[in-house]
Amino acid sequence: MAVLFVLNRYNASDWADMMRERAPDLDIRLWPDDVGNPEDIRFIVAWNPPEGELAKFPNLEVIFSMGAGVDHLMKDPALPKVPVVRVVAGDLTKRMTEYVVMNVLLHHRRVALYDSQQKARAWTERSQPAANEVRVGIMGFGVLGQDCGILLRDLGFHVAGWSNGRKHVEGIESFAGGAELDAFLGRTDILVSLLPHTPDTDRMLNASLFAKLPQDGALEGPFLINAGRGKVQCDADILAALNDGTLKGASLDVFEEEPLPADSPLWAHPQLVLTPHVAAESSPVAINDYILDQLRGYELGEPLSNVVNAERGY
Ligand code: NDP
Ligand code: OXD
C-alpha cells in the first residue's frame, strides 16, 4: 500500500519527507513526479489538487485534507466517493483562537486609532467600553468557533454563535439556521466568520448582511473579522461598507482570490488589517502526526474521526 501526497503548495516535498521520517515503514509518494503505479495508492493526503486528479486511483480508500477546510476537495465533481478526513488538531485550533482574539482585542482597544495618534505624536486619551459592553458574534460555531468563543467569553465579552444546529456552550448564546440569522446579526458588534465555503455560505458576507449589524453598539459601529474562507465574502461589498461607514473596520485573513492581487484596493485601506491566509498556520509536525495517527488507527480497524459530511460539504 502507498500514501500519495498531492499538495499544490510550495513545500510539498518537505511535508512528504517529514512523513517518511516519522513512518519509515510506509511507502510515501509525491505527486506529480513520483506517483508510480496508480493501483498502489490507498491513501491520499491532499491540498488543493487539480480537478479530476484524485479520480485516477482505483484502489483509493481515504482522502486526508491537509487542512481543516475541505472546499478545495469538495469543489471537484470527480472527487472519489471515499471518506474525506479533515484536520482537527489542537495546534491549529489554538493558533486560530490566537488570531481571532488578537483581532477582536485590536478593534475593541482601538489600536488603529492609537496608531494614527502615535504617528501624529498626539497624546489623546479615548474612551474605552468594557468587554462586557461588547457583543461578539461568531458565524460558524464549530470546532474553531467554539474554542475562540470560550476564550472571548472568559475575557468578558458577550459571545453568541451561529451554526446550522443548536449548540450548548455555557455562557454563550446559540443561534441556529437561517431563521435565527437576523436576530444573531442584530446583537453583534464584532462579527467573526469561521464558516466553511459551501454552496450555502457562498458570498454570504455581503452588503445586505452588513446592513443588519447594529450601528448603535458600544463600539459605535460594527467590525468584521473573516478567517474562514474568502469565497464566503464579497470583497467589493466589504470595501463599500468600510467606505460608507456600514462597517467601522475589518480584519481579513482570506479573500475571494488568493493570493490577493497586488492591485487590489483592499491592501491600502486604512480600516483594514490584512494577513495572507495565515490565521492558523500550523506546525507541519502536528498535522503530519494527526494524519499518521488516523492512518495507523484505520489500518487496525478503528473508525476514522472528523470525516466530512459529503452532503453538507464540510
Ligand atoms: P467545523 O465544521 O467544526 O465548523 C463549521 C461551522 O460552520 C459549524 O458550526 C457549522 O454548523 C457551521 N456552518 C456551516 N455551514 C453553515 C450554514 N450554511 N449555516 C449555518 N452554519 C453553518 O469547522 P472548523 O471550525 O474546524 O473550521 C471552520 C473553517 O475555518 C474551515 O472550514 C476552513 O474553511 C476555515 N479555516 C481557515 C483557516 C485559516 O488559516 N484562515 C485555518 C483553518 C480553517 P454545525 O456545527 O451546526 O454543523
Ligand atoms: C485550513 C486552512 O483549512 O489553513 O486548514 O485554511
Side-chain angles (χ1 to χ4, degrees):
M1 74 106 168
V3 183
L4 180 66
F5 276 62
V6 185
L7 303 182
N8 246 334
R9 59 196 297 168
Y10 62 100
N11 57 353
S13 60
D14 293 354
W15 285 76
D17 286 347
M18 183 177 296
M19 188 65 107
R20 286 189 186 106
E21 269 168 37
R22 308 185 92 66
D25 57 311
L26 295 184
D27 176 2
I28 308 286
R29 304 196 190 165
L30 184 59
W31 175 90
D33 296 330
D34 173 30
V35 174
N37 180 354
E39 291 182 8
D40 297 344
I41 307 297
R42 285 177 58 211
F43 304 101
I44 286 182
V45 179
W47 185 259
N48 203 19
E51 280 188 15
E53 197 59 33
L54 305 195
K56 295 179 181 166
F57 304 98
N59 298 318
L60 184 64
E61 290 177 39
V62 184
I63 300 170
F64 294 97
S65 167
M66 191 51 122
V70 289
D71 46 328
H72 63 105
L73 296 169
M74 307 315 275
K75 68 178 187 208
D76 181 353
L79 191 75
K81 295 197 182 333
V82 299
V84 174
V85 172
R86 67 187 199 91
V87 172
V88 175
D91 178 81
L92 185 153
T93 302
K94 290 301 168 203
R95 290 173 192 240
M96 180 59 86
T97 294
E98 284 175 7
Y99 170 90
V100 170
V101 172
M102 173 181 77
N103 279 283
V104 166
L105 289 174
L106 187 145
H107 297 303
H108 170 60
R109 298 303 300 252
R110 313 184 78 169
V111 169
L113 180 65
Y114 285 116
D115 186 45
S116 65
Q117 286 190 189
Q118 181 178 347
K119 290 191 174 99
R121 297 173 179 260
W123 185 275
T124 313
E125 290 168 34
R126 307 282 185 165
S127 70
Q128 173 67 54
N132 66 16
E133 295 171 79
V134 175
R135 300 162 297 180
V136 179
I138 303 175
M139 294 182 89
F141 202 53
V143 173
L144 302 181
Q146 290 183 34
D147 198 71
C148 303
I150 287 167
L151 190 51
L152 289 165
R153 175 202 68 191
D154 291 348
L155 285 172
F157 291 97
H158 276 290
V159 181
W162 182 72
S163 43
N164 258 320
R166 180 94 47 220
K167 306 290 180 228
H168 302 279
V169 180
E170 197 185 335
I172 298 184
E173 197 175 356
S174 167
F175 293 82
E180 296 181 14
L181 178 59
D182 285 4
F184 164 81
L185 296 170
R187 51 72 63 209
T188 292
D189 301 312
I190 301 180
L191 179 65
V192 177
S193 176
L194 288 169
L195 283 167
H197 181 241
T198 68
D200 289 338
T201 63
D202 187 61
R203 291 167 69 87
M204 80 178 292
L205 298 173
N206 58 31
S208 82
L209 182 144
F210 302 146
K212 293 173 181 164
L213 297 166
Q215 289 292 330
D216 58 357
L219 299 178
E220 294 160 1
F223 291 84
L224 169 70
I225 298 170
N226 186 11
R229 278 292 179 267
K231 287 189 164 52
V232 174
Q233 80 199 15
C234 179
D235 290 0
D237 287 11
I238 293 174
L239 262 180
L242 289 168
N243 288 336
D244 71 14
T246 307
L247 287 176
K248 223 175 156 199
S251 300
L252 301 177
D253 184 58
V254 289
F255 303 89
E256 277 183 77
E257 185 184 344
E258 294 180 10
L260 184 64
D263 62 355
S264 167
L266 292 175
W267 284 110
H269 201 289
Q271 287 141 274
L272 260 179
V273 178
L274 299 194
T275 43
H277 199 141
V278 291
E281 192 69 19
S282 301
S283 143
V285 171
I287 304 295
N288 262 333
D289 280 354
Y290 165 84
I291 292 171
L292 192 55
D293 277 356
Q294 288 248 35
L295 206 148
R296 299 272 196 224
Y298 177 83
E299 290 290 63
L300 293 172
E302 291 165 13
L304 294 163
S305 358
N306 306 310
V307 175
V308 171
N309 177 326
E311 244 164 66
R312 287 192 154 177
Y314 67 91

